[in-house]
Amino acid sequence: MEPIRVKKLRPGAVLPAYGSAGAAGADLTACLEAPVTIEPGQTAFIPTGLALEVPAGCAGLVYARSGMACKQGLAPANKVGVIDSDYRGEVMVALHNHGSRSRVIEPGQRIAQLLITPVLTPPYEAAAELSGTIRDAGGFGSTGK
């Protein structure tokens, strides 16, 4: 597998790193000069100091770190960030505080995880009818009956 090219945009930036041999996501680290406090219900854009060269046909997906989300209430505001293959700007993580206490992000703290995944980009076309299925138009909760 070819490596992902990463450009450090500022001092203190840390390359994404896998926490274990079987980890699906590589940790993204806060590239801050000073701690940032995120108040309950607020969102802060945390820089990583990195730009990525995501391969064509792939996307970088930025997910919450499970410990931060479950124990501290901090998770990406957009739930899953998408880094398109043609984006070359700095990767920022919009961390939202879902909890009831202020949380502090420290310089060098692991704040999210990055997965590189293939994507399909089929064309879309208008259709007068769609093929039928057993479920058909059954929506929310329809398969739990």
Side-chain angles (χ1 to χ4, degrees):
M1 180 175 298
E2 292 293 318
I4 301 295
R5 293 170 48 92
V6 181
K7 181 179 180 181
K8 290 185 178 184
L9 302 175
R10 59 177 98 193
V14 176
L15 292 180
Y18 297 97
S20 70
D27 291 326
L28 292 174
T29 303
C31 186
L32 299 168
E33 293 181 10
V36 171
T37 300
I38 308 174
E39 300 297 335
Q42 299 297 307
T43 300
F45 286 87
I46 308 297
T48 65
L50 304 174
L52 305 173
E53 194 172 297
V54 175
C58 293
L61 302 179
V62 179
Y63 289 96
R65 295 191 72 246
S66 58
M68 282 183 70
C70 296
K71 296 176 183 175
Q72 298 180 39
L74 291 172
N78 53 346
K79 307 305 180 211
V80 178
V82 178
I83 304 169
D84 298 312
S85 64
D86 58 353
Y87 178 67
R88 294 294 185 269
E90 182 173 10
V91 174
M92 303 286 283
V93 178
L95 277 183
H96 183 79
N97 184 347
H98 295 275
S100 59
R101 295 180 26 210
S102 298
R103 297 294 182 184
V104 177
I105 303 300
E106 299 287 343
Q109 182 176 342
R110 296 175 298 160
I111 55 170
Q113 56 182 322
L114 173 67
L115 280 78
I116 303 295
T117 187
V119 295
L120 300 175
T121 54
Y124 292 89
E125 64 183 18
E129 297 293 328
L130 301 176
S131 62
T133 68
I134 293 172
R135 181 177 180 181
D136 214 23
F140 296 99
S142 67
T143 62
K145 296 179 184 173

